[in-house]
Amino acid sequence: MDFMFAVLQADVFGTPAYFWMAFAAIVVALLAFDLGVLHKDDHEISAKESFIMYAGYVAIALAFGAWVWWSRGAQSGLEFYTGYVIEQSLAMDNIFVIATIFGYFAVPRAYQHRVLFWGILGAIAMRAIMIGLGAALVTQFNWILYVFGAFLVFTGYKMFKGGEEQTNLDSNPVLVYLRKHFRITKELHGHDFTVKQPDPATGKVVTWLTPLAVALILVEFVDLIFAVDSVPAIFAVTLDPFIVYTSNIFAILGLRSLYFALAAAMHRFKYLKVALATILVLVGIKIFLVPMGIKVDTLLSLGLTIGILAAGILFSLWKTSRDTPKETLAN
């Protein structure tokens, strides 16, 4: 009994082990319920189902944040919610790039959830590595926060000046590498990521990647690129690895479930990038202030992030309200 208590109370990155265990149990349960119950069979996910799933994930994230608030104090609770909102805000741009990938490979809506689900598993692992490395760097070299801050300000400026850049997948280095070094089928093979087919040169039956597998790899690559922005951004809120990681993962889980509603209305968020760029610049400035001992109130950061994101969304909807829609939401 004493041994079990010691294990549960063991310090893991500054947080008792039972906090990490509870978080892991929740995530595993959510993923199992998602794949084993909600999406046991491939089917098109409507906007309505997407919103319902998103509401469920948000409710669970809010409940988890309330538990953090109750057990670790108001400051930790506010930091969780702020990190959650920042990650959701920045990851919205990620959603639109994923939609471009699906369109490029002509992935049917019925198979898109499968790619997103397995993509989440990769994101969970990659975020753990990146946040662990980031926390270690900040602990050892406090000046690294200046690097994080400068990078975010630069990225925000680039996003602001970039306008409506078109994603050119043909020249994507990952796709070029895959086409050069792997056998890839020209057509989809249901929801399979790999198939066995004869090699045209030798006639021997070998493993081929399907376009669905290539889409998954590109989604993982895109998530890695976007994580380079979002992970340092949350370090502006807190240096606690537990808060950074859990808020990050809950945000990813929720936003991926909202994908099917957002992707159908991409044209309505024409001016969202300006809001995201503004958030990146402000977060970068906030990181600069941390090593100087200047702390911006967490509640103020949360309010500003929500306000800027809401302004970007509402302005986009207003400006595009008279545009001819390119796509309509599924019922």
Side-chain angles (χ1 to χ4, degrees), residues 268 271-272 274 309-321:
R268 298 298 307 276
Y271 302 95
L272 184 61
V274 177
L309 180 63
I313 292 173
L314 292 174
F315 183 74
S316 293
L317 294 175
W318 175 67
K319 288 288 286 184
T320 59
S321 60

Side-chain angles (χ1 to χ4, degrees), residues 43-52 109 260-261 264 327-331:
H43 67 279
E44 288 193 20
I45 297 176
S46 67
K48 180 180 178 181
E49 182 181 351
S50 181
F51 280 124
I52 291 172
R109 284 174 65 90
F260 297 95
E327 296 179 68
T328 55
L329 290 175
N331 293 321

Side-chain angles (χ1 to χ4, degrees), residues 162-178:
E164 295 184 59
E165 296 179 352
Q166 297 297 316
T167 303
N168 184 8
L169 288 178
D170 283 317
S171 60
N172 183 281
V174 176
L175 182 56
V176 171
Y177 178 86
L178 290 173

Side-chain angles (χ1 to χ4, degrees), residues 201-223:
T202 65
K204 183 179 178 182
V205 176
V206 293
T207 301
W208 292 64
L209 295 178
T210 67
L212 203 66
V214 180
L216 173 61
I217 293 168
L218 287 178
V219 166
E220 294 285 18
F221 176 71
V222 165
D223 184 75

Side-chain angles (χ1 to χ4, degrees), residues 4-315:
M4 282 298 298
F5 182 77
V7 169
L8 292 174
Q9 292 292 335
D11 184 281
V12 181
F13 295 109
T15 298
Y18 71 88
F19 276 93
W20 291 101
M21 292 177 183
F23 167 70
I26 292 169
V27 171
V28 169
L30 286 173
L31 293 177
F33 182 71
D34 189 318
L35 188 64
V37 178
L38 295 180
H39 304 103
K40 189 175 182 181
D41 300 313
D42 296 323
H43 67 279
E44 288 193 20
I45 297 176
S46 67
K48 180 180 178 181
E49 182 181 351
S50 181
F51 280 124
I52 291 172
M53 287 192 302
Y54 177 68
Y57 277 112
V58 169
I60 292 169
L62 291 176
F64 186 85
W67 178 55
V68 170
W69 189 307
W70 174 76
S71 58
R72 303 186 62 173
Q75 184 61 29
S76 292
L78 278 174
E79 289 171 353
F80 174 85
Y81 289 131
T82 305
Y84 177 79
V85 171
I86 287 176
E87 173 60 28
Q88 285 236 336
S89 304
L90 300 180
M92 287 187 75
D93 204 33
N94 191 356
I95 291 297
F96 303 144
V97 178
I98 291 174
T100 303
I101 293 172
F102 285 154
Y104 181 85
F105 290 102
V107 178
R109 284 174 65 90
Y111 301 148
Q112 290 176 7
H113 177 269
R114 181 172 169 80
V115 175
L116 293 174
F117 177 86
W118 292 107
I120 284 174
L121 296 183
I124 288 173
M126 283 192 295
R127 299 297 171 103
I129 294 170
M130 293 184 68
I131 290 171
L133 287 174
L137 285 172
V138 170
T139 301
Q140 293 295 319
F141 311 103
N142 192 250
W143 54 263
I144 203 72
L145 290 172
Y146 292 118
V147 178
F148 287 170
F151 177 76
L152 291 178
V153 170
F154 173 73
T155 303
Y157 173 77
K158 235 177 111 182
M159 184 183 289
F160 184 77
K161 297 291 287 184
E164 295 184 59
E165 296 179 352
Q166 297 297 316
T167 303
N168 184 8
L169 288 178
D170 283 317
S171 60
N172 183 281
V174 176
L175 182 56
V176 171
Y177 178 86
L178 290 173
R179 284 174 169 168
K180 185 177 180 180
H181 294 89
F182 293 88
R183 302 177 187 89
I184 302 172
T185 63
K186 292 182 179 179
E187 309 86 18
L188 291 165
H189 289 260
H191 69 195
D192 294 330
F193 291 122
T194 61
V195 291
K196 294 284 187 180
Q197 286 188 349
D199 187 310
T202 65
K204 183 179 178 182
V205 176
V206 293
T207 301
W208 292 64
L209 295 178
T210 67
L212 203 66
V214 180
L216 173 61
I217 293 168
L218 287 178
V219 166
E220 294 285 18
F221 176 71
V222 165
D223 184 75
L224 177 62
I225 297 301
F226 277 90
V228 172
D229 292 338
S230 63
V231 169
I234 302 181
F235 278 115
V237 178
T238 178
L239 301 181
D240 184 341
F242 179 77
I243 301 297
V244 174
Y245 186 62
T246 55
S247 62
N248 213 276
I249 298 304
F250 273 118
I252 292 172
L253 288 170
L255 204 59
R256 291 289 172 96
S257 67
L258 189 60
Y259 165 82
F260 297 95
L262 286 181
M266 281 193 301
H267 62 286
R268 298 298 307 276
F269 298 98
K270 190 176 179 181
Y271 302 95
L272 184 61
K273 277 201 172 188
V274 177
L276 300 183
T278 304
I279 291 172
L280 276 173
V281 171
L282 290 178
V283 169
I285 293 172
K286 188 174 186 296
I287 289 183
F288 259 106
L289 300 177
V290 173
M292 301 177 185
I294 303 172
K295 186 167 177 61
V296 178
D297 184 72
T298 306
L299 187 58
L300 176 62
S301 298
L302 177 59
L304 274 175
T305 304
I306 293 175
I308 294 169
L309 180 63
I313 292 173
L314 292 174
F315 183 74

